Amino acid sequence: MSTIKQSLLQAVNKLKKTSESPWLDAEVLLAYALKINKTKLYARSEKVLTKNKYQSFQRLIARRLKNEPVAYITHHKEFFGLDFYVDKNVLIPRPETELLIEETLKQSSINKKRLTIVDVGTGSGCIAISIAKNISHFLTTKIYATDISKRALQIARKNAKRHKVFSKIKFLYGNLLKPLPISLFKKKQNFIIVANLPYLTTREWQKTTPEIKKYEPRFALDGGKNGLFYFEELFQQIRSNKFVLNSLKFVTLEIGAKQGPKIKKLTKKYFPKSTFIIKKDLAELDRTAVVDL
Ligand SMILES: C[S@@+](CC[C@H](N)C(=O)[O-])C[C@H]1O[C@@H](n2cnc3c(N)ncnc32)[C@H](O)[C@@H]1O
């Protein structure tokens, strides 16, 4: 028989071997097993767990010990102040991606008129949904989101329903911009493309942590030999269509910490007249590229 406090301490000791945040993991997983919020754990710390609850907590800890991310175990991830459903079909939203939302919201407040925003590679839908929930000119802005994974799109739709923006965002299946009807670009709209595409080099992906490599979808992370495959493909798609090129105002991209100069070069190759700014994240690493076309 173990109390909440004892169960937590035992779990922390086990998790120390594999996790960088054993306390937080143990708290979140115990709160999840008991279906209470984290703060109540401490108010009830001397309460003895039932056999059933104790065993279900042990099963969760065993999964975590095999490196499964906490967010996949609990199916929750907070991003931009919103709670997203996640499972192994989608990348777990990262805190650094919040910078991409902030920059896109900034650009959209400059280009308020007849604005359409396209989130390319939407995954859990965290970018399109956070923008829909926070944009000041909600009623007049159109939002589209695409992904190459049908399962990811199902999750994005589920999250959009959860956050009551399902009717606001059109989710489309296909390769980058391809699923968007070309008639859309002929409507004299101002377009902003926002994208967090796979940008690790294949080698970086191979060397990443077991938590990521074993559990998160490779197609969400591996950007090919030099990590630039999807950026180049996106730029080609933009440049090959004059309607897209004419109506596009900005592209905001999440990029790898060492990719700034390479993406700048690639951007200049495809859009010689564009201006290119890099924004750093809280760790002072290159994280978001803003391309003004
Ligand atoms: C790095 S994840 C980003 C997911 C989500 N936007 C986020 O920020 O958490 C990249 C996403 O791009 C999608 N993707 C990969 N290749 C694609 C393609 N050719 N066309 C559209 N989406 C693609 C993946 O399925 C994945 O959901």
Side-chain angles (χ1 to χ4, degrees):
M1 289 292 203
S2 288
T3 63
I4 285 186
K5 190 171 157 187
Q6 288 163 341
S7 309
L8 263 181
L9 284 169
Q10 286 164 9
V12 169
N13 273 330
K14 288 186 190 168
L15 289 170
K16 270 181 192 162
K17 286 174 234 148
T18 51
S19 170
E20 284 181 3
S21 50
W23 267 106
L24 183 63
D25 293 3
E27 285 168 351
V28 171
L29 293 175
L30 185 53
Y32 178 71
L34 301 181
K35 299 192 175 66
I36 57 175
N37 65 39
K38 249 176 27 186
T39 47
K40 290 213 174 109
L41 287 179
Y42 291 93
R44 300 179 191 177
S45 64
E46 298 306 328
K47 201 172 174 241
V48 174
L49 296 187
T50 64
K51 194 174 165 199
N52 264 350
K53 295 286 182 202
Y54 181 77
Q55 283 174 344
S56 62
F57 179 49
Q58 295 311 312
R59 281 194 291 274
L60 302 179
I61 294 298
R63 286 169 68 182
R64 184 68 190 118
L65 285 170
K66 288 185 191 152
N67 301 114
E68 187 169 351
V70 171
Y72 285 161
I73 300 175
T74 62
H75 297 305
H76 286 282
K77 183 67 190 177
E78 202 198 304
F79 177 82
F80 221 75
L82 300 167
D83 179 47
F84 286 90
Y85 172 90
V86 289
D87 67 24
K88 63 180 172 35
N89 295 298
V90 291
L91 187 92
I92 299 166
R94 306 292 204 262
E96 54 270 27
T97 304
E98 296 188 346
L99 182 62
L100 187 64
I101 311 285
E102 279 160 18
E103 285 307 316
T104 310
L105 287 171
K106 240 187 248 172
Q107 298 309 333
S108 57
S109 67
I110 302 168
N111 290 276
K112 275 185 197 157
K113 269 194 175 173
R114 298 189 307 270
L115 180 63
T116 299
I117 298 175
V118 185
D119 170 22
V120 185
T122 196
S124 62
C126 63
I127 294 177
I129 294 166
S130 302
I131 289 173
K133 294 295 285 181
N134 288 281
I135 198 151
S136 57
H137 34 291
F138 178 82
L139 290 177
T140 53
T141 303
K142 295 191 173 75
I143 304 178
Y144 289 79
T146 73
D147 206 286
I148 200 72
S149 158
K150 286 188 178 165
R151 290 195 171 155
L153 285 168
Q154 276 173 2
I155 291 170
R157 289 191 184 101
K158 180 185 174 99
N159 279 320
K161 281 181 195 153
R162 173 181 287 192
H163 293 297
K164 302 193 168 39
V165 288
F166 182 65
S167 59
K168 180 77 197 164
I169 307 169
K170 274 207 165 60
F171 292 98
L172 303 171
Y173 164 71
N175 180 16
L176 305 174
L177 301 176
K178 291 281 182 202
L180 295 165
I182 203 62
S183 54
L184 194 70
F185 293 94
K186 294 180 183 169
K187 286 186 182 158
K188 291 203 170 160
Q189 290 273 314
N190 291 320
F191 278 78
I192 292 178
I193 289 174
V194 50
N196 178 15
L197 292 167
Y199 59 70
L200 295 185
T201 64
T202 300
R203 213 175 141 65
E204 281 170 339
W205 178 81
Q206 278 160 348
K207 288 199 300 187
T208 191
T209 61
E211 191 166 330
I212 296 176
K213 197 173 161 190
K214 270 168 65 184
Y215 290 95
E216 296 200 85
R218 181 172 179 174
F219 58 79
L221 291 156
D222 184 351
K225 196 162 184 270
N226 62 3
L228 301 176
F229 178 83
Y230 293 97
F231 295 109
E232 184 139 28
E233 169 87 15
L234 177 67
F235 291 171
Q236 272 168 6
Q237 287 190 11
I238 294 171
R239 205 180 59 176
S240 65
N241 190 307
K242 70 171 193 278
F243 296 109
V244 178
L245 197 54
N246 288 343
S247 39
L248 192 58
K249 296 290 168 219
F250 283 93
V251 182
T252 49
L253 302 166
E254 178 160 323
I255 62 170
K258 294 178 195 153
Q259 276 177 330
K262 286 186 200 147
I263 308 257
K264 184 172 182 180
K265 203 170 155 198
L266 195 66
T267 310
K268 288 285 168 194
K269 175 177 154 194
Y270 281 89
F271 315 110
K273 289 183 188 154
S274 64
T275 57
F276 182 93
I277 298 169
I278 297 228
K279 302 278 173 168
K280 290 189 186 294
D281 63 17
L282 291 174
E284 280 299 304
L285 300 170
D286 289 356
R287 189 56 64 198
T288 302
V290 182
V291 184
D292 181 348
L293 290 131

